[in-house]
Amino acid sequence: MIIEKIKLYVLTTISTVWCSHITLDKKLFIHEDATLDFFGLASKYGHPPIQYDVTTEDGYILTLFRIPGKSRIPILLMHGILDSADTFLLRGKDSMGITLANLGYDLWIGNCRGNRYSRRHVYFDPSKDRTFWDFSFHEMGYYDLPALIDRILNETGSSSLIAIGHSQGTTIFYVLGSTRPEYNSKVNVMISLAPVCYLHNTTSPLLKLLINTLPLVNDILNNLNIHLDEFFGYNSNETAFLRSWCHHPSIADLCMTAGFFQVLGYDPKEFELEFFNVFIHHLPSGTSMKDFLHYIQVENSRQFQWYNYGSDKNMIVYNSTIPPVYDLSKVTMPVALIAAKNDPLSTLANVDLLRRRLANVVYYFVNPRRRFNHGDHIWARNMKVNSIPNVMRVLSKYNSPDNVKQSSTTDNKEKI
């Protein structure tokens, strides 16, 4: 507790001093979109949303947003790790969410447990109860997605929906299809943007450093009775510190080049400094340390498997000393894989392995742009040219919307 207070004091002091210094810089300003939440962003760009509270089987209360449309089949969009529903609106009128809404699609944008919109539980207080943070992407796929899907289908009367996921937003559907196969028939097609399942071909030095050190650091802190259960929560001191530093013009470029581009892939033309100053105020949005540790386990084991608690607890949980592997042959929902050449996380080698393991890949596309990276699928400046047409190509086959306008976005015909 004392160490936690010291950490809080140090971060707060540094941030306060830094912020008092940078406010003197006339170049420093905060874009309006950086200050708006999902409701504010959607409303600003012409689509006031409807908000639903969805309670999972294990008691987590998730926020689900809807931008109503006239399409016959609803579309569920799911964000990546440390992210939120905001991510699909950050490019404003050119964002994927607003573009699809303008075309008349019935959009539902979900939030996984632990982020800024889903930091609630029927019984547990996330600020006091460590039990709240005992989850990874497994629980998001096993509990969150079924609750969200059931609510959408109940509200719309549809028998199935279309899913669009980015990064971790794809992982959780592979978990869903393999562990709760009855939901495969409820997904018309799962459009996977920067699909994440296997990680052992990761090329980023920063990611490799994180993979090698984070478990060790976590163990050391646990031995000191310091528990980092929440990882970069939206309102945490760590996130406030990150934003206060990375927002300043003299530091932002370093944050992008030495930090974010190391994870996403270098592409300053599509992920420019002005947008970064909006982006950094929405992400990170929070998750659990266990979520990160589960991904690190997947990388180290070279297998897509359930969480490893150690041989003793594994015997109690799984009746085996090793965790089971997710059976991807049970993922029978149609899957569209859309990948990038400049993606150090979801590398082509990793995606190709996933492609060979999944049971029903109906579309596979590698973006031809050499610098197209992990984030360009949903954050690129020219998303309407380089990303959205690939999604529209799949939607045109699997949605057959009623009274939905034809897309005017440029269609990239190159396929792999």
Side-chain angles (χ1 to χ4, degrees):
M1 181 63 70
I2 294 177
I3 296 179
E4 284 290 332
K5 290 182 178 180
I6 293 174
K7 182 184 73 171
L8 172 61
Y9 175 77
V10 171
L11 289 175
T12 304
T13 301
I14 294 176
S15 296
T16 302
V17 172
W18 177 257
C19 288
S20 65
H21 166 70
I22 62 177
T23 51
L24 299 177
D25 192 328
K26 294 182 180 180
K27 295 181 180 179
L28 184 64
F29 70 96
I30 297 179
H31 192 284
E32 181 186 25
D33 287 8
T35 67
L36 299 176
D37 59 9
F38 186 91
F39 192 91
L41 287 168
S43 298
K44 175 182 177 179
Y45 293 104
H47 298 278
I50 301 170
Q51 179 176 325
Y52 299 84
D53 284 345
V54 179
T55 303
T56 67
E57 183 182 334
D58 59 342
Y60 286 79
I61 303 172
L62 314 176
T63 297
L64 174 64
F65 296 108
R66 181 186 190 183
I67 298 178
K70 297 180 180 180
S71 59
R72 182 172 60 87
I73 300 176
I75 299 177
L76 170 63
L77 290 84
M78 294 303 300
H79 60 80
I81 196 168
L82 285 172
D83 211 346
S84 73
D86 295 356
T87 202
F88 295 104
L89 305 183
L90 294 186
R91 279 294 182 180
K93 64 182 177 58
D94 294 326
S95 67
M96 183 168 296
I98 297 302
T99 298
L100 294 177
N102 285 341
L103 292 171
Y105 288 96
D106 186 18
L107 300 184
W108 298 75
I109 304 94
N111 291 278
C112 286
R113 59 185 63 195
N115 80 1
R116 65 180 295 193
Y117 298 113
S118 298
R119 200 176 178 272
R120 294 178 294 163
H121 193 277
V122 173
Y123 303 112
F124 304 125
D125 181 344
S127 298
K128 298 178 181 179
D129 299 315
R130 295 187 59 204
T131 304
F132 178 92
W133 300 104
D134 187 18
F135 65 81
S136 75
F137 61 76
H138 174 83
E139 284 74 18
M140 298 175 192
Y142 193 84
Y143 293 113
D144 293 2
L145 281 182
L148 294 172
I149 290 172
D150 288 346
R151 182 60 177 272
I152 294 169
L153 299 185
N154 286 338
E155 291 286 340
T156 62
S158 178
S159 60
S160 64
L161 53 73
I162 288 174
I164 302 175
H166 174 245
S167 194
Q168 181 177 257
T170 69
T171 309
I172 58 180
F173 276 94
Y174 310 144
V175 171
L176 173 71
S178 62
T179 60
R180 306 187 77 160
E182 67 273 18
Y183 278 88
N184 281 295
S185 62
K186 297 182 180 183
V187 180
N188 231 29
V189 65
M190 198 281 122
I191 302 175
S192 298
L193 307 176
V196 174
C197 185
Y198 297 100
L199 293 169
H200 54 274
N201 292 301
T202 296
T203 59
S204 166
L206 180 61
L207 283 173
K208 289 181 177 179
L209 177 64
L210 181 67
I211 288 168
N212 290 329
T213 59
L214 187 59
L216 177 62
V217 170
N218 189 60
D219 288 342
I220 293 174
L221 292 176
N222 283 337
N223 289 333
L224 295 173
N225 202 30
I226 301 173
H227 304 289
L228 300 181
D229 300 313
E230 182 177 14
F231 197 77
F232 279 97
Y234 182 77
N235 290 315
S236 69
N237 292 290
E238 293 86 352
T239 298
F241 179 74
L242 179 69
R243 290 188 182 120
S244 68
W245 279 75
C246 289
H247 181 74
H248 191 261
S250 62
I251 303 295
D253 189 62
L254 177 63
C255 288
M256 289 174 60
T257 304
F260 287 88
F261 282 154
Q262 293 296 314
V263 177
L264 301 176
Y266 187 73
D267 192 6
K269 180 181 178 181
E270 293 295 322
F271 195 93
E272 73 281 12
L273 184 59
E274 182 181 0
F275 175 69
F276 179 74
N277 288 331
V278 173
F279 173 89
I280 196 66
H281 285 274
H282 290 271
L283 190 149
S285 187
T287 189
S288 67
M289 173 63 78
K290 185 178 179 180
D291 193 17
F292 262 85
L293 294 177
H294 196 173
Y295 273 116
I296 290 173
Q297 171 198 318
V298 168
E299 195 279 341
N300 288 331
S301 67
R302 304 171 73 89
Q303 294 191 79
F304 187 47
Q305 60 182 186
W306 296 44
Y307 191 80
N308 189 349
Y309 293 98
S311 57
D312 291 342
K313 188 172 180 179
N314 284 344
M315 280 298 299
I316 298 173
V317 177
Y318 307 125
N319 197 31
S320 170
T321 57
I322 58 175
V325 174
Y326 292 105
D327 186 356
L328 294 177
S329 68
K330 292 182 178 179
V331 184
T332 57
M333 68 182 75
V335 176
L337 300 174
I338 302 179
K341 299 175 183 178
N342 183 33
D343 188 337
L345 179 61
S346 181
T347 63
L348 294 185
N350 285 332
V351 177
D352 186 61
L353 180 57
L354 171 63
R355 181 188 183 189
R356 288 185 275 118
R357 299 284 173 82
L358 287 171
N360 191 15
V361 175
V362 295
Y363 179 78
Y364 178 53
F365 181 85
V366 177
N367 195 289
R369 187 170 170 276
R370 184 174 61 85
R371 281 193 169 176
F372 197 89
N373 68 20
H374 191 79
D376 284 342
H377 299 274
I378 56 171
W379 300 320
R381 187 206 301 247
N382 295 300
M383 199 186 325
K384 281 196 170 183
V385 175
N386 295 324
S387 176
I388 294 178
N390 307 319
V391 173
M392 295 303 302
R393 192 177 298 126
V394 181
L395 288 180
S396 65
K397 179 178 180 180
Y398 285 91
N399 193 52
S400 301
D402 299 328
N403 302 319
V404 175
K405 307 170 190 175
Q406 292 297 314
S407 172
S408 60
T409 55
T410 303
D411 193 12
N412 186 338
K413 295 295 185 182
E414 182 174 343
K415 296 184 181 180
I416 300 295

